[in-house]
């Protein structure tokens, strides 16, 4: 099995990516197809260019807001949960299928 790395790429204040990443992390743990998971949040990494680049507030999208609780955590529905499972299944299948390509070359 492999480790699943989840990257939150949005760094804007008011973003929802962190909540979605934590939900995917819990879905992956329940799925059981990975050795472990790790969330890398670029807003928490000390990126040098972030000190010089203005970061604008995230736009609140009404459609997305219906899936968030008051703490901005994702409230998934059955479609989201089913899609997450299908995606995680495919990641495991792809990882296993590509394992021979990552093996060290015989000398």
């Amino acid at each position: 099995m492999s480790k699943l790395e989840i990257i939150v790429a949005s760094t804007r204040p008011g973003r929802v990516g962190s909540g979605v990443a934590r939900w995917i992390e819990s879905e992956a743990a329940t799925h059981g197809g990975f050795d472990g998971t790790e969330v890398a949040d670029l807003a928490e990494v000390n990126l040098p260019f972030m000190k010089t680049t203005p970061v604008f507030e995230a736009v609140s999208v009404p459609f997305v807001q219906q899936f968030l609780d008051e703490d901005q955590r994702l409230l998934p529905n059955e479609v989201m949960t089913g899609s997450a499972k299908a995606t995680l299944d495919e990641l495991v299948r792809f990882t296993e299928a590509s394992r021979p390509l990552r093996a060290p070359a015989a000398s």
Side-chain angles (χ1 to χ4, degrees):
M1 285 195 286
S2 299
K3 181 177 181 180
L4 177 64
E5 304 266 349
I6 303 163
I7 300 171
V8 181
S10 177
T11 59
R12 299 175 297 172
R15 68 210 170 99
V16 298
S18 182
V20 173
R22 297 292 174 206
W23 173 70
I24 289 291
E25 182 179 38
S26 70
E27 289 292 311
T30 303
H31 182 272
F34 304 94
D35 287 329
T37 60
E38 181 179 351
V39 174
D41 190 340
L42 296 185
E44 297 174 6
V45 177
N46 189 15
L47 300 172
F49 64 85
M50 291 301 294
K51 294 180 176 126
T52 59
T53 306
V55 178
F56 301 99
E57 182 77 23
V59 176
S60 177
V61 179
F63 175 77
V64 174
Q65 295 303 316
Q66 69 182 322
F67 299 112
L68 303 174
D69 67 10
E70 61 277 350
D71 294 323
Q72 298 298 299
R73 288 185 303 240
L74 184 68
L75 301 170
N77 60 25
E78 290 178 11
V79 172
M80 292 176 194
T81 304
S83 296
K85 183 185 180 324
T87 300
L88 294 170
D89 287 345
E90 187 62 19
L91 280 171
V92 170
R93 188 191 70 72
F94 178 80
T95 300
E96 292 304 314
S98 63
R99 189 173 306 281
L101 300 174
R102 296 189 311 271
S107 316

